[in-house]
């Protein structure tokens, strides 16, 4: 059985404990590789390697850092088929999505920050002719990056790329549920000539490796993407140590559909924003609010389209639109929320059950895309993050009511508004409590824009210069002339 290795000090090594965790292929429900069960000893080794590499890396000219990062992105592009296949086997998403969505984005992440650093400048504040202030931006040192299982390589590279580009050295922990593409990336980093110790990848469990990173007194910043509960735990531990924190957490995003929208465009995008990647994207719109005059029309068309188009099954099959749920634990969690929705009085309009494909995928973890109506906006199903192929639909009568329901959860990550009325669109965008608002589109991303949530969806912003600012310390130098 293939053993995944940690990547520490430029080499692939086994965990100190010599213990491994079973790594499952969710599409078949079988173990197909072994993930290192690392612990604080491996984190310490990684830290030492990163610390030793820091002086050289932080003083490496940005042009050279940039060249190495662009080389990594080119090698990733060369091997895109291998990476896409690995991601699909590890995560359960359809192969076409890995190949056309996630891998191109991982490549862009590395290239984007690898080139952005060459254009990153800091400010000067002259005080007439008697003094000048300038801001020096220096890398922080050794930083920690912790990423989740839903978009494994995409979110992993989204963190490590700005950290490394800015001159930091990194100790990173991918989710132990989906470690494979981060492991393959280590091989690419070696081939691209990334100096030893600049990036270290320690695989293993959150409570062991993740928390060892968080409590490490010399790791000065943590960039985390994952659940709100885990984010709160990281903040509790890291805040008294005065670590810099970037937390990208859960969501329960509203999708608000007005009667004057472009119906066909909205319908196509709403199918995608509800169920892409099995609904396991923090930006998916899981609460759909529909203006009453088109509620029945929307309901009929949405249910029909989901039933007829979203084929559930083997992620390797080109016609599959909905692949496997990432793990047995998550599969059971999503099903338990469907039961809860029924207990809360919801009506299942489609889906609502597990799917058992024939053949080798019979023991995989599949759930039919599920649409539920008849729930109050403030019930648990509509307030708690499910993070699977489950959405609710709810009618509304006024803009105020839509806003009140949209803003009623503890989350505030993303939102979508469908209307052809420009004034209403801008007004809603201003009043909605979310870090991201899409108007008449969804998941349209420009990597230069700030990305992040409000309320329990997170603290800080990633993306573009925000990420480079997070991974540097600003120092003001005041010179009397
Ligand atoms: P988790 O919070 O369970 O895990 C995220 C990462 O943190 C994993 O690598 C995990 O390791 C690790 N971890 C777990 N416990 C600790 C700990 N005590 N200290 C440090 N690290 C720890 O999230 P999921 O992996 O389940 O991901 C799904 C969540 O991520 C959803 O809530 C989703 O909304 C959110 N998310 C947010 C995004 C955003 O941009 N805001 C984007 C994508 C997802 P292990 O895997 O071993 O448990």
């Amino acid at each position: 059985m293939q053993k995944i290795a940690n990547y520490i000090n430029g080499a692939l090594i086994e965990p100190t404990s010599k213990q491994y965790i079973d790594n499952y292929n969710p599409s078949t429900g079988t173990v197909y590789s072994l993930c290192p069960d690392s612990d604080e000893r491996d984190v310490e080794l990684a830290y030492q390697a990163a610390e030793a590499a820091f002086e050289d890396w932080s003083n490496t000219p940005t042009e050279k850092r940039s060249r190495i990062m662009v080389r990594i992105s080119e090698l990733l592009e060369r091997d895109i088929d291998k990476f896409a296949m690995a991601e699909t086997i590890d995560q359960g998403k359809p192969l076409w999505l890995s190949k056309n969505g996630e891998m191109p984005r991982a490549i862009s992440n590395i290239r984007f920050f690898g080139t952005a650093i060459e254009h990153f400048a800091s400010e000067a504040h002259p005080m007439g002719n008697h003094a000048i202030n300038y801001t020096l931006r220096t890398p922080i040192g050794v930083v920690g990056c912790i990423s989740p299982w839903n978009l494994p390589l995409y979110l992993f590279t989204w963190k490590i790329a700005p950290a490394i580009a800015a001159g930091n050295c990194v100790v990173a922990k991918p989710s132990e549920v989906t470690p494979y593409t981060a492991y393959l990336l280590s091989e690419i980093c070696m081939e691209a000539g990334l100096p030893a110790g600049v990036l270290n990848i320690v695989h293993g469990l959150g409570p062991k490796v993740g928390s060892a990173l968080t409590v490490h007194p010399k790791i000065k910043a943590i960039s985390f993407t994952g659940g709100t509960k885990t984010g709160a735990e990281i903040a509790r531990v890291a805040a008294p140590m005065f670590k810099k924190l970037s937390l990208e957490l859960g969501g329960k995003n509203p999708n608000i559909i007005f009667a004057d929208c472009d119906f066909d465009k909205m319908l196509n995008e709403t199918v995608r924003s509800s169920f892409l990647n099995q609904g396991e994207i923090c930006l998916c719109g899981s609460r759909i609010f529909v203006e009453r005059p088109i509620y029945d029309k929307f309901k009929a068309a949405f249910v029909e389209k989901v039933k007829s188009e979203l084929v559930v099954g083997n992620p390797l099959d080109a016609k599959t639109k909905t692949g496997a749920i990432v793990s047995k634990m998550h599969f059971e969690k999503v099903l338990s929320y469907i039961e809860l929705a029924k207990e809360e009085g919801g009506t299942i309009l489609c889906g609502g059950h597990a799917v058992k494909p024939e053949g080798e995928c019979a023991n995989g973890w599949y759930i039919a895309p599920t649409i539920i109506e008849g729930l109050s906006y403030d019930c648990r199903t509509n307030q708690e993050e499910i993070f699977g192929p489950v959405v609710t639909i709810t009618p509304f009568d006024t803009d105020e009511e839509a806003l009140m329901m949209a803003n009623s959860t503890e989350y505030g990550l993303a939102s979508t508004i469908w209307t052809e009325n420009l004034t209403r669109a801008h007004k809603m965008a201003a009043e909605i409590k979310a870090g991201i608002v899409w108007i008449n589109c969804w998941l349209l991303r420009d990597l230069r824009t700030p990305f992040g949530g409000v309320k329990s969806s997170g603290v800080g912003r990633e993306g573009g210069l925000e990420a480079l600012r997070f991974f540097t310390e600003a120092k003001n130098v005041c010179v009397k002339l």
Side-chain angles (χ1 to χ4, degrees), residues 21 35 145-151 154-155 158-159 173-178 203-215 222 224-231 233-234 237 247-253 279-283 326 329-330 333 385-387 411 413-414 436 451-453 456-458 462:
I21 306 158
C35 173
C145 297
I146 305 176
S147 56
W149 50 254
N150 61 324
L151 301 168
Y154 171 145
L155 290 171
W158 183 235
K159 297 190 171 302
K173 189 201 103 60
S175 171
E176 126 276 345
V177 181
T178 51
H203 295 276
L205 297 166
K208 281 191 192 174
V209 177
S211 66
L213 268 174
T214 313
V215 300
I222 301 281
F224 169 82
T225 298
T228 294
K229 235 173 105 189
T230 316
E233 170 62 14
I234 289 174
V237 175
L247 303 173
E248 299 294 340
L249 310 176
K252 187 77 179 174
N253 309 309
E280 296 164 337
I281 301 181
C282 54
L283 305 166
V326 73
M329 198 169 92
H330 194 57
K333 175 186 156 185
E385 187 183 42
I386 301 173
F387 212 53
Y411 298 106
L413 186 54
I436 300 151
F451 178 92
S456 299
S457 289
E462 297 185 324

Side-chain angles (χ1 to χ4, degrees), residues 122-395:
S122 53
E123 310 82 28
H125 300 94
M127 300 168 74
N129 62 2
H130 56 272
I132 183 162
N133 296 273
Y134 60 89
T135 310
L136 270 183
R137 283 210 165 259
T138 49
I140 297 172
V142 179
V143 300
C145 297
I146 305 176
S147 56
W149 50 254
N150 61 324
L151 301 168
L153 195 66
Y154 171 145
L155 290 171
F156 188 73
T157 50
W158 183 235
K159 297 190 171 302
I160 60 163
I164 290 169
N168 301 283
C169 292
V170 174
V171 181
K173 189 201 103 60
S175 171
E176 126 276 345
V177 181
T178 51
Y180 210 89
T181 46
Y183 164 59
L184 293 180
L185 184 71
S186 344
E187 294 177 342
I188 293 250
C189 290
M190 292 159 80
E191 187 182 344
L194 186 71
V198 172
L199 171 64
N200 303 275
I201 304 176
V202 183
H203 295 276
L205 297 166
K208 281 191 192 174
V209 177
S211 66
L213 268 174
T214 313
V215 300
H216 198 292
K218 300 272 180 56
I219 294 180
K220 296 174 188 150
I222 301 281
S223 174
F224 169 82
T225 298
T228 294
K229 235 173 105 189
T230 316
E233 170 62 14
I234 289 174
R236 189 188 66 76
V237 175
M241 301 169 84
F242 307 113
K243 289 184 193 230
K244 226 174 163 182
L245 282 181
S246 169
L247 303 173
E248 299 294 340
L249 310 176
K252 187 77 179 174
N253 309 309
N255 176 3
I256 305 173
I257 299 169
F258 286 96
D260 68 355
C261 70
D262 177 332
F263 191 85
D264 293 340
K265 202 162 96 182
M266 173 280 296
L267 188 64
N268 285 332
E269 277 303 287
T270 295
V271 171
R272 243 168 54 84
S273 68
S274 303
F275 298 114
L276 191 70
N277 204 49
Q278 298 73 246
E280 296 164 337
I281 301 181
C282 54
L283 305 166
C284 278
S286 52
R287 295 178 297 143
I288 304 175
F289 300 109
V290 188
E291 204 172 9
R292 201 173 301 272
I294 61 161
Y295 183 81
D296 288 337
K297 178 182 170 190
F298 169 78
K299 175 169 117 180
F302 186 45
V303 169
E304 210 289 306
K305 206 168 170 61
V306 167
K307 272 186 178 165
S308 62
E309 290 183 6
L310 297 191
V311 178
V312 183
N314 189 344
L316 300 179
D317 190 336
K319 69 175 190 309
T320 292
K321 290 287 188 304
T322 304
I325 300 294
V326 73
S327 66
K328 184 161 190 285
M329 198 169 92
H330 194 57
F331 168 80
E332 283 164 0
K333 175 186 156 185
V334 174
L335 288 177
S336 77
Y337 268 103
I338 294 174
E339 286 313 305
L340 174 70
K342 290 185 203 158
E343 283 162 27
E344 290 185 319
T347 304
I348 310 287
L349 300 174
C350 73
H353 54 81
V355 175
K356 203 172 170 56
E358 290 187 349
E360 59 171 353
C361 293
N363 293 320
W365 304 305
Y366 299 87
I367 296 177
T370 300
I371 304 171
I372 306 169
E373 74 166 351
L375 289 167
S376 68
Y377 75 92
D378 56 354
C379 68
R380 280 185 56 204
T381 309
N382 267 329
Q383 293 288 315
E384 297 176 15
E385 187 183 42
I386 301 173
F387 212 53
V390 179
V391 297
T392 63
I393 59 174
T394 309

Side-chain angles (χ1 to χ4, degrees), residues 25 44 67 79 115 119 126 143 221 276 279 327 349 360 404 460:
N25 173 346
E44 186 55 32
R67 234 184 298 128
D79 292 349
T115 51
H119 308 273
V143 300
L276 191 70
S327 66
L349 300 174
E360 59 171 353
M404 181 279 291

